[in-house]
Amino acid sequence: MIKTPSPSIFRPEGGIDQSALKEHKALVEDINRRGLLRGAVSLGALTMLTGCNVTHTDAVQSVLKRISQFNDKVQELMFRPNHLAPTFPESMVVKPPRFNAYYDIEDIAPVDAASWKLELAGKIENRKPWTAQEIYALPEEEWIVRHICVEGWDYIGQWSGVNLKQFLQRVGADLTAKYVSFKCADDYYGSIDMASALHPQTILATKYAREPITDPFGFPLRLRTATKLGFKNPKWITAIEVTNEYRGGYWEDRGFNWFSGI
Ligand SMILES: Nc1nc2c(c(=O)[nH]1)N[C@H]1C(S)=C(S)[C@@H](COP(=O)(O)O)O[C@H]1N2
Ligand SMILES: [Mo]
């Protein structure tokens, strides 16, 4: 049976917004051709994407287009360190968030909070590991921003935790280093440029919608950038390294743009 789409995807005259659908299809095919997507995006996913208003779909489309059009170097040059990504009212927050990983939700291996530690490595003065309790005690800030997955779907999420720049300063990280890289409790790993790490909206998130992040979404600690695609936000972080060595990332090593940000 076909699920009834939400009324908002219908135009006043009663039909689905075919033009938006077509536009997205062309974009997704373009990104696909460039080998940036794993597998095809279904029409269902596109319908979901067009389920919101036109300004919304335009915003998602422009982000994906911008990222797919330029190589890492150009994206890095275009990056505006203090330009804030759009934020949204609490009423728009999707609960629960939408899950994604390179495997199914049934296969996640929850992290044990009691034994979990955040390891620090590389160009950091104080590399003492952090417990979850110690991280929870740090000052928190909250951002309600859009999560955009390169697969062509998005949602508004509400994440809070310690600002990454403030955390890096606290542990005496070398902020002139090129990269901040992350290891995760699954096989996932990733790295971001220092400018994006220091962006005001980049946090180490411990909460979603003011509650501790639940297992599927990265408990106890995940990265949340407002300026990068979903896959640049590692969940279940176990180690952070500040380094001048390029460490790539799980999807980056499989052909996705490494910068993937705006
Ligand atoms: N450790 C880990 N982090 C990960 C992934 C993963 O497979 N493992 N998938 C990434 C991708 S592709 C996306 S879109 C987001 C999904 O985050 P969410 O489940 O909180 O929406 O997590 C990212 N971080
Ligand atoms: Mo993603």
Side-chain angles (χ1 to χ4, degrees):
M1 207 197 83
I2 298 166
K3 257 177 87 190
T4 316
S6 70
S8 60
I9 82 160
F10 290 99
R11 303 183 119 186
E13 62 267 30
I16 288 175
D17 184 346
Q18 290 293 341
S19 63
L21 212 66
K22 241 188 247 153
E23 242 176 80
H24 281 294
K25 195 155 181 280
L27 171 66
V28 167
E29 276 166 5
D30 179 51
I31 297 175
N32 239 339
R33 253 199 313 281
R34 294 157 190 266
L36 292 170
L37 285 179
R38 51 170 168 148
V41 168
S42 66
L43 193 67
L46 286 173
T47 310
M48 290 284 299
L49 189 63
T50 54
C52 307
N53 63 46
V54 175
T55 28
H56 167 204
T57 60
D58 282 356
V60 172
Q61 173 141 341
S62 76
V63 169
L64 286 173
K65 202 179 254 168
R66 195 163 151 166
I67 289 171
S68 68
Q69 267 169 355
F70 300 107
N71 66 29
D72 288 335
K73 206 65 264 142
V74 176
Q75 286 183 45
E76 209 160 347
L77 287 170
M78 292 192 326
F79 183 72
R80 298 153 295 173
N82 289 309
H83 181 267
L84 296 187
T87 56
F88 302 89
E90 216 170 325
S91 58
M92 288 179 73
V93 172
V94 171
K95 295 177 210 169
R98 177 170 170 164
F99 173 82
N100 197 28
Y102 68 91
Y103 44 83
D104 292 336
I105 194 162
E106 296 79 43
D107 298 327
I108 62 159
V111 167
D112 170 40
S115 59
W116 179 88
K117 277 206 161 67
L118 174 70
E119 308 281 343
L120 298 181
K123 298 167 86 62
I124 292 177
E125 271 166 32
N126 185 356
R127 291 188 295 271
K128 165 190 90 65
W130 287 69
T131 64
Q133 285 314 315
E134 288 169 330
I135 289 174
Y136 290 146
L138 293 171
E140 269 177 16
E141 61 179 47
E142 175 183 288
W143 292 102
I144 300 179
V145 291
R146 179 179 278 135
H147 172 117
I148 303 174
C149 178
V150 71
E151 292 173 309
W153 50 266
D154 69 289
Y155 66 88
I156 305 296
Q158 179 181 20
W159 290 273
S160 42
V162 63
N163 176 277
L164 181 57
K165 179 180 180 178
Q166 283 169 21
F167 182 77
L168 291 175
Q169 283 171 333
R170 186 180 286 266
V171 297
D174 177 358
L175 303 186
T176 69
K178 283 189 186 155
Y179 309 106
V180 180
S181 107
F182 301 88
K183 281 185 189 158
C184 306
D186 55 359
D187 292 341
Y188 204 78
Y189 57 98
S191 57
I192 61 171
D193 53 292
M194 183 60 81
S196 297
L198 302 180
H199 186 274
Q201 290 170 308
T202 302
I203 65 171
L204 292 172
T206 54
K207 290 184 182 145
Y208 186 87
R210 308 242 169 91
E211 298 289 341
I213 286 179
T214 53
D215 289 326
F217 305 102
F219 175 86
L221 192 70
R222 59 101 40 94
L223 182 67
R224 186 61 248 176
T225 64
T227 60
K228 287 193 185 290
L229 291 183
F231 79 89
K232 298 295 299 181
N233 294 268
K235 304 194 278 192
W236 311 288
I237 295 172
T238 54
I240 297 179
E241 181 195 16
V242 172
T243 176
N244 284 322
E245 305 296 320
Y246 177 77
R247 302 269 187 244
Y250 183 92
W251 285 116
E252 296 85 331
D253 295 350
R254 289 163 177 78
F256 286 71
N257 280 23
W258 174 77
F259 194 86
S260 283
I262 52 163

